[in-house]
Amino acid sequence: MATLSRRGFIAPTLAAGAVRAVPMIASKPAARRILTLVYDRKLGMMRAIDRLVP
């Protein structure tokens, strides 16, 4: 197995992530993401709600 340094691992990982993310960003219409934090009594903790607003 080839020995990888930290820098040698991070660079290809970021490049692969960019290749997957760029087409999705280009094809989606302009929309804002709104993140709201609410307290859920049933769960007994904070919960994040993510909404897309055109």
Side-chain angles (χ1 to χ4, degrees):
M1 185 168 162
T3 58
L4 284 176
S5 66
R6 182 176 175 189
R7 185 173 292 174
F9 174 76
I10 292 174
T13 304
L14 291 176
V19 168
R20 291 185 63 192
V22 169
M24 292 190 323
I25 293 171
S27 65
K28 286 189 177 181
R32 290 188 316 169
R33 295 183 82 104
I34 297 180
L35 181 67
T36 308
L37 293 175
V38 295
Y39 184 76
D40 192 339
R41 290 183 192 163
K42 189 173 184 180
L43 294 175
M45 62 183 184
M46 296 296 284
R47 189 167 60 119
I49 299 174
D50 191 18
R51 292 186 295 150
L52 282 175
V53 178

